[in-house]
Amino acid sequence: RAPGVVPVLLHPDVVEDFVMCVLLHNLHGAHVAHGTGAFRFEQFGADQPVLRDDLTLRTDPLVPMAAGAYRFSQEGVPARACAFIERGRLRSPLLDLKYARRRGLAPTASPSAMDTLFLEGPPPITYGESLAGARDGALVLSVLGVHTQDFTSGDFSMSAPQTIAVGPSGLAGRLRATISGNLFSILRSEALRLVAFPGEHTPGILAPCRLEPAGA
């Protein structure tokens, strides 16, 4: 491992606030069309993976009783399930009527809440297993400064004020720290593991990441 790189366990709240936010930003039709995101229209439907080839990001607004469920979008488009990324490969940008018409494509569903957005991959490990995997690293419960990051490159450096060190026997006390790296590199890493947190819809992510305790 590079100096300062340790196993970091991102809580599902961090995955939703940061990881999902970056992916959806880059998938949005406006950013794809104007070249202001990480992806280009030519990449959608191609066989070259942009993430690890067992990761999928999809939405389903027809999930029964979900807070983000709907039958029709605000533009009057009937709801339907849609895979944006499938097994690491770009399948569809997030298209409203304007950008769907420009490309001659069907508009897609737009996630209105996290309970209709799904990050999937290999079977997730348990929370207990993830703490063993995060030994000598940390559990990050929240981050600050998400919207100041470079979403297009994936580079990030964020304050993580609610962080807990993980030692040989498990959780080992609070830290104030900074985490940094490149999100796309993390999402392509063979070391990445999805983690099932009890009571959470979105999985956590365990992966190598640079972590610097405050004052280090």
Side-chain angles (χ1 to χ4, degrees):
R1 281 199 305 248
V5 174
V6 298
V8 170
L9 176 57
L10 301 179
H11 187 274
D13 288 348
V14 179
V15 175
E16 292 180 352
D17 292 344
F18 175 51
V19 179
M20 300 293 212
C21 185
V22 172
L23 290 176
L24 289 176
H25 171 91
N26 285 297
L27 287 162
H28 197 282
H31 296 296
V32 178
H34 297 297
T36 55
F39 309 134
R40 302 292 179 267
F41 273 115
E42 294 71 25
Q43 293 177 275
F44 289 87
D47 197 46
Q48 183 65 34
V50 296
L51 306 182
R52 213 173 78 169
D53 65 5
D54 55 2
L55 293 178
T56 291
L57 181 68
R58 64 181 182 87
T59 189
D60 186 358
L62 297 172
V63 175
M65 305 301 291
Y70 59 87
R71 293 290 179 180
F72 293 89
S73 73
Q74 292 182 342
E75 296 181 308
V77 177
R80 63 182 178 90
C82 176
F84 301 117
I85 301 172
E86 186 174 29
R87 298 194 63 81
R89 294 159 176 82
L90 293 169
R91 289 297 174 243
S92 175
L94 203 167
L95 295 170
D96 59 14
L97 283 175
K98 175 181 177 179
Y99 287 98
R101 286 168 179 159
R102 284 189 179 186
R103 300 296 301 188
L105 299 171
T108 64
S110 179
S112 59
M114 284 296 169
D115 61 356
T116 58
L117 189 64
F118 300 86
L119 177 64
E120 299 169 333
I125 62 175
T126 67
Y127 173 66
E129 291 170 331
S130 74
L131 289 182
R135 178 176 173 174
D136 299 324
L139 165 62
V140 175
L141 300 171
S142 68
V143 291
L144 298 177
V146 168
H147 296 290
T148 67
Q149 307 306 304
D150 187 342
F151 285 12
T152 302
S153 71
D155 291 337
F156 66 92
S157 179
M158 296 182 292
S159 173
Q162 292 185 309
T163 297
I164 303 175
V166 180
S169 301
L171 300 177
R174 183 180 176 184
L175 292 174
R176 287 190 303 159
T178 297
I179 60 171
S180 60
N182 181 275
L183 179 59
F184 295 119
S185 294
I186 289 173
L187 294 175
R188 288 191 288 263
S189 171
E190 289 301 316
L192 180 148
R193 298 291 181 269
L194 299 183
V195 181
F197 275 69
E200 297 286 348
H201 165 78
T202 300
I205 287 178
L206 173 65
C209 179
R210 181 175 294 278
L211 183 141
E212 298 179 9

